[in-house]
Amino acid sequence: MKSSKRRLQALTESSDGLPNYLKMEDSESSIPPVFRCRLHELFSQIEKEFDVLYTENLNLQEKIDILSEKLERESYVGDRQIVDYVDFETSGKNSKVKLSQSNSQKVKTSHKLKVQTSKIVSSFKAPTYSCQLIREFTGHKDGIWDVTTARPGQALIGTASADHTACVWSVEWGKCLLQYTGHAGSVNSIRFHPTRDIALTSSGDNTAHVWQAAVNWDLPRGQSSEEELDGGGEESLGESDRPEVLRTPLTELSGHMGVVVAADWLTGGDHVITASWDRTANLYDVETGDCLQILTGHDHELTHASSHHSSRLVVTASRDTTFRLWDFREPIHSVSVFQGHTESVTSAVFTREDKVVSGSDDRSVKVWDVRNMRSALATIRSDSSVNRVSVSSGGLIAIPHDNRQVRLFDLQGQRLARLPRSSRQGHRRMVTSVSWVEDVASNMNFFSCGFDRRILGWSIQPSKDN
């Protein structure tokens, strides 16, 4: 519930963080000019006070994070000296962990602790990956819902924003090369075609669009991304200095009766799957725009949809606490239901090992075998709601949280690292989406975005100490 309130607040705030009802035009106000000016002065003072408090809060949070990391390291060193082995006995929601010790007199002592498995694992394992912030991409006028990377060989990323636009960025230059403005509502997801220069976006206008994503690589490198997207600088910029603006889609996929929250290409790129708040997922033919199948069964709004990288398999997540696996490899599709979360499932994605990783508002991430849906292979517990997870080809799970954290785990649930978060690095508001780069030659191999209107490019590498 708290997570839903935060997301609703994010949608109702304007790009500068003030509620929309405080951004009325003067022509709509009956307040005399003198009082209106005084009111603006008072709001300005309040804003300055909040800025000071916010900065102090960030500094305090940074100190808390440093102390937490220190405690984890000390716990790791201390526990490694006294614990001979750790035997995990998972049963139900909480896991019982039995710690066995032996001394010189061979006195055996047994303790059963009801704790979260992830915290126990974290205290035993030091961070094994280093995370370095490389570049910041700015220019969107409102929060960013989704970030995705292009196919290997193309140094591009795509973003979907609540400002009704989707953007294609150059990773090397940090510039916006193409801005798509064809949607009439918030753009909630973006995916590049696996082989062609086209993109797929979903929107709050109840549609999904397929549009031409070929970019202009001749954009001057000296122009900052914020100036490119700022309409106020049009007088000083020439036409060639601004990103290309595209307003017309190649294909509009319609038929949903509610917000289309996510969309993805099926393997091969000839078909598209969409997920909607109308509780259905639709399968479309890309060339004709026809809806081929309407997938029903979820009891509440859908939150996510994702396809397998090489098979005609799709997973859909929902607020009904489940996610469903749809198999389109046969003429008549089949469906399997995975139950294991206690709150909304916010995302579910496939791994290269034919597993599924699901994240939820119940503050957990679970790893599943697609051939066994009775119980999860691993459960990762956290202290905040989980947004759209991403899994690398090497099996690294990146988990974005409402509390501005991004944590990395492996498929066994072992914690690997946490992205830096301070007044100089990291996100200032909830992190909504993350994406890995599969091109091994790239300096930046990981991207994150959030409702602070920023996209951050990171270098995630194995730690030299490990």
Side-chain angles (χ1 to χ4, degrees):
M1 181 64 69
K2 291 182 180 179
S3 175
S4 299
K5 289 182 179 178
R6 280 193 293 269
R7 289 169 185 146
L8 179 61
Q9 181 183 10
L11 287 172
T12 55
E13 287 181 355
S14 62
S15 59
D16 57 7
L18 289 176
N20 287 321
Y21 64 80
L22 293 180
K23 303 294 290 182
M24 295 185 298
E25 297 293 334
D26 291 346
S27 59
E28 300 178 5
S29 175
S30 59
I31 303 174
V34 175
F35 294 109
R36 188 161 58 243
C37 290
R38 179 56 179 163
L39 186 63
H40 289 170
E41 292 176 0
L42 292 173
F43 275 120
S44 178
Q45 294 176 13
I46 293 173
E47 184 179 6
K48 291 179 180 178
E49 291 292 333
F50 270 109
D51 283 341
V52 173
L53 291 174
Y54 181 71
T55 302
E56 292 177 353
N57 184 47
L58 287 179
N59 293 333
L60 289 173
Q61 186 63 53
E62 186 175 349
K63 293 179 181 178
I64 292 172
D65 292 340
I66 293 173
L67 290 174
S68 298
E69 291 287 352
K70 184 178 179 182
L71 287 173
E72 287 185 359
R73 288 194 298 269
E74 291 176 353
S75 176
Y76 165 69
V77 174
D79 290 336
R80 185 174 57 181
Q81 294 173 350
I82 65 173
V83 178
D84 289 337
Y85 67 88
V86 182
D87 182 24
F88 289 90
E89 297 177 353
T90 58
S91 60
K93 182 177 180 181
N94 295 319
S95 298
K96 293 182 179 180
V97 181
K98 182 187 294 183
L99 304 181
S100 297
Q101 296 175 305
S102 62
N103 56 19
S104 58
Q105 289 80 22
K106 297 182 179 180
V107 178
K108 296 182 179 180
T109 306
S110 173
H111 301 280
K112 290 185 178 181
L113 306 175
K114 291 184 177 181
V115 293
Q116 295 178 347
T117 303
S118 63
K119 291 184 179 179
I120 290 294
V121 172
S122 296
S123 66
F124 280 49
K125 190 173 181 64
T128 56
Y129 280 77
S130 62
C131 310
Q132 182 182 3
L133 178 62
I134 303 298
R135 180 164 294 148
E136 178 178 332
F137 302 76
T138 58
H140 277 296
K141 304 306 180 186
D142 209 335
I144 303 170
W145 284 121
D146 198 19
V147 60
T148 190
T149 54
R151 62 182 183 271
Q154 285 194 322
L156 298 172
I157 60 172
T159 53
S161 173
D163 65 9
H164 298 195
T165 70
C167 290
V168 179
W169 307 77
S170 165
V171 172
E172 180 184 1
W173 305 339
K175 318 298 180 186
C176 177
L177 304 179
L178 177 63
Q179 187 180 37
Y180 180 69
T181 62
H183 283 292
S186 170
V187 185
N188 301 320
S189 72
I190 180 170
R191 290 291 181 272
F192 290 108
H193 192 277
T195 59
R196 299 167 56 191
D197 291 334
I198 56 178
L200 169 68
T201 49
S202 64
S203 173
D205 61 12
N206 301 357
T207 69
H209 287 183
V210 177
W211 43 275
Q212 187 69 46
V215 297
N216 177 20
W217 290 101
D218 296 328
L219 185 72
R221 302 190 184 194
Q223 197 64 49
S224 71
S225 56
E226 194 160 3
E227 289 175 336
E228 290 165 0
L229 298 182
D230 188 358
E234 291 183 0
E235 294 181 0
S236 59
L237 296 177
E239 287 297 325
S240 61
D241 296 330
R242 294 193 297 272
E244 181 182 357
V245 177
L246 180 66
R247 297 179 175 85
T248 305
L250 297 174
T251 308
E252 180 175 312
L253 308 176
S254 58
H256 282 294
M257 302 301 293
V259 169
V260 182
V261 70
D264 200 4
W265 305 95
L266 268 68
T267 179
D270 295 330
H271 297 92
V272 162
I273 190 75
T274 58
S276 172
W277 284 6
D278 64 10
R279 305 184 184 185
T280 69
N282 287 356
L283 181 68
Y284 290 93
D285 183 284
V286 175
E287 294 300 324
T288 64
D290 295 335
C291 180
L292 303 179
Q293 294 187 56
I294 299 177
L295 310 179
T296 60
H298 281 293
D299 295 328
H300 295 289
E301 294 92 336
L302 273 65
T303 58
H304 194 243
S306 180
S307 66
H308 192 275
H309 64 280
S310 60
S311 298
R312 292 179 62 81
L313 300 172
V314 168
V315 284
T316 56
S318 171
R319 289 184 59 193
D320 62 12
T321 74
T322 73
F323 69 91
R324 293 178 178 241
L325 171 64
W326 308 84
D327 189 343
F328 295 102
R329 290 175 294 186
E330 300 295 334
I332 300 178
H333 73 268
S334 61
V335 60
S336 302
V337 182
F338 288 72
Q339 296 176 320
H341 291 286
T342 58
E343 294 187 34
S344 299
V345 182
T346 53
S347 63
V349 297
F350 289 97
T351 73
R352 297 284 176 173
E353 297 82 8
D354 287 338
K355 296 180 176 64
V356 173
V357 178
S358 61
S360 171
D361 277 340
D362 66 9
R363 303 181 179 184
S364 74
V365 172
K366 294 178 181 286
V367 182
W368 308 79
D369 189 330
V370 296
R371 295 173 294 274
N372 179 11
M373 59 184 179
R374 290 190 298 274
S375 61
L377 300 175
T379 298
I380 301 167
R381 303 287 181 182
S382 66
D383 56 354
S384 180
S385 295
V386 176
N387 294 315
R388 293 181 176 179
V389 300
S390 179
V391 183
S392 72
S393 58
L396 300 183
I397 306 173
I399 308 173
H401 292 285
D402 273 5
N403 66 357
R404 301 177 285 126
Q405 294 273 15
V406 178
R407 296 182 174 96
L408 306 181
F409 289 80
D410 63 19
L411 292 173
Q412 288 72 45
Q414 301 282 342
R415 178 178 170 180
L416 303 178
R418 181 181 66 186
L419 267 63
R421 194 193 70 187
S422 67
S423 57
R424 297 175 301 277
Q425 298 186 74
H427 289 281
R428 304 186 183 100
R429 296 180 67 180
M430 69 175 181
V431 187
T432 54
S433 177
V434 290
S435 183
W436 293 94
V437 176
E438 303 304 336
D439 190 347
V440 294
S442 176
N443 182 33
M444 281 177 284
N445 60 348
F446 183 77
F447 294 88
S448 61
C449 69
F451 249 77
D452 56 4
R453 300 177 289 170
R454 300 187 303 157
I455 310 104
L456 302 182
W458 303 83
S459 174
I460 310 294
Q461 304 296 336
S463 176
K464 293 181 180 179
D465 297 335
N466 292 275

